[in-house]
Amino acid sequence: MSRVLAGPEAIAAGIAAMRAGRPVAFPTETVYGLGASALDEDAVRAVFALKGRPSSNPLIVHVSEIEMARTLVSEWTEQADLIARAFWPGPVTIVLNKSKTVPDAVSAGGQTVAVRCPRHPVALALIEAFGGPMVGPSANPSGWISPTTPEHVLAGFPGEDLIIIDGGACHAGIESTVLDLSAAEPRILRPGVIGAQALSVTLGEQVALDPVTDPAAPARSPGLLGAHYQPRTPCRLVETGQLASTPQQTAVLSWSRDDHPRGGALIGLPADAEGYAAGLYDAMHRADAGRADEIWIEHPPVNHADEHGAIWVAVLERLARATKSG
Ligand code: TXA
Ligand code: MG
């Protein structure tokens, strides 16, 4: 049986499990991750196996400070230093050319490694106490909704013998921005809370957003293809005007309504970007746990012009993939 633990004993139990090569779920400011020693190839393989993740999809390596990140890359570039000093600890993952220290299993055979220093105090305490870099994919079965609470992790891995370190509900609620600095031009491979504009200002050059929705574009981040973040219940993005005709058996995620037009399940979401992002995965988990035969998600009240425009870009990317069929 999996166990949710808190406090210093949770860190100690987590480290004991990781030293024995077993994955441990831990909180970050974005979503919960599945931790294991990034330098232990067998432990890394155990993470792929637990998630059911294709071995072609590389893992992010979590560090507690810049010095630890330097050991993982062939060159800690000036660009990387600018970004890390501006945003770490925080939700930006930096892709750089890897050093020989990083096992091929982590990079999925590729020449690059993704490094991230999380802001959550429990995550930082865990990495520091462990004393080395940790892989940390989101703590969900591959393709399913990412977890933002210990309960979500439990729901994803029922019957596993997994230690889940409790850090409460994740603050940001969606995964980190993945910024590729390994090529000539900086590029966002996965949008997140930190957006293109903030990154461009810090780097002093334009950071482009990978056209993830463009099927003709060459994929640079193998995990960013097609359907993902999906509830098991079929999910659809609808306009506010369509909600009045929601069937009774359809669960609704809505920011504009308080009740379901036919008395069915309605889960409310805040209308502001930060609140919406923080609550989205929990709302999807709750809708998925019910008996609805479909989930309708009301198109969010996106405002690209305000200071939180980047969060809406990230939310729309997650919604597009959560509702994508095939
Ligand atoms: O917020 C986060 O980043 C969370 C928390 C737990 O830290 N982690 C997370 O990991 O979202 P994961 O594995 O679920 O998503 C990592 C994404 C995947 O889409 C993967 O393909 C991409 O980052 N990625 C990892 N290594 C990469 C690399 N070397 N080059 C390009 N993309 C990479
Ligand atoms: Mg994930």
Side-chain angles (χ1 to χ4, degrees):
M1 271 297 284
S2 297
R3 283 177 296 155
V4 180
L5 302 173
E9 69 154 12
I11 304 258
I15 285 170
M18 285 199 290
R19 293 216 193 290
R22 292 200 307 276
V24 170
F26 67 100
T28 81
E29 78 280 29
T30 58
V31 301
Y32 275 72
L34 265 187
S37 171
L39 307 181
D40 177 344
E41 191 127 27
D42 290 336
V44 170
R45 289 220 180 79
V47 170
F48 277 97
L50 182 59
K51 274 184 69 80
R53 179 169 175 132
S55 58
S56 55
N57 190 1
L59 303 183
I60 293 177
V61 181
H62 292 62
V63 298
S64 57
E65 45 162 15
I66 289 176
E67 285 314 305
M68 203 183 276
R70 283 178 188 278
T71 66
L72 303 167
V73 300
S74 63
E75 187 195 352
W76 181 253
T77 63
E78 203 181 313
Q79 286 182 322
D81 208 55
L82 283 172
I83 294 295
R85 288 188 195 283
F87 299 105
W88 282 8
V92 180
T93 297
I94 305 173
V95 175
L96 289 169
N97 289 312
K98 79 177 195 74
S99 70
K100 292 197 182 72
T101 315
V102 179
D104 285 341
V106 172
S107 63
Q111 292 310 305
T112 60
V113 64
V115 283
R116 143 159 163 79
C117 179
R119 188 185 281 280
H120 199 293
V122 174
L124 287 171
L126 183 69
I127 302 165
E128 260 161 34
F130 185 63
M134 281 166 44
V135 293
S138 51
N140 52 285
S142 189
W144 202 37
I145 318 162
S146 292
T148 56
T149 66
E151 292 71 34
H152 298 160
V153 181
L154 277 174
F157 300 106
E160 292 291 340
D161 180 21
L162 182 67
I163 289 172
I164 301 164
I165 303 179
D166 190 353
C170 300
H171 177 77
I174 50 174
E175 300 83 350
S176 62
T177 306
V178 177
L179 174 66
D180 187 355
L181 294 178
S182 71
E185 281 167 19
R187 194 184 283 241
I188 294 176
L189 302 180
R190 177 175 70 185
V193 172
I194 312 287
Q197 206 191 336
L199 297 169
S200 301
V201 168
T202 302
L203 288 178
E205 68 179 294
Q206 198 58 40
V207 177
L209 185 62
D210 222 31
V212 282
T213 45
D214 177 1
R220 288 220 275 164
S221 200
L224 301 181
L225 296 166
H228 203 42
Y229 311 106
Q230 296 219 336
R232 291 173 177 133
T233 315
C235 214
R236 180 135 70 101
L237 203 54
V238 300
E239 297 303 327
T240 301
Q242 292 174 264
L243 291 182
S245 55
T246 313
Q248 207 272 336
Q249 274 308 309
T250 297
V252 178
L253 267 54
S254 174
W255 53 271
S256 72
R257 292 187 67 109
D258 297 328
D259 53 7
H260 189 292
R262 306 244 169 355
L266 180 138
I267 297 160
L269 278 167
D272 69 288
E274 283 180 313
Y276 191 98
L280 176 62
Y281 288 157
D282 183 61
M284 283 165 64
H285 274 279
R286 282 161 57 198
D288 209 18
R291 290 209 194 89
D293 46 26
E294 205 172 334
I295 301 169
W296 284 11
I297 304 179
E298 179 182 14
H299 199 284
V302 172
N303 179 357
H304 287 296
D306 82 1
E307 55 176 320
H308 299 306
I311 302 182
W312 286 128
V313 170
V315 161
L316 289 178
E317 189 259 355
R318 304 311 191 272
L319 289 178
R321 299 180 58 197
T323 55
K324 183 170 176 156
S325 54

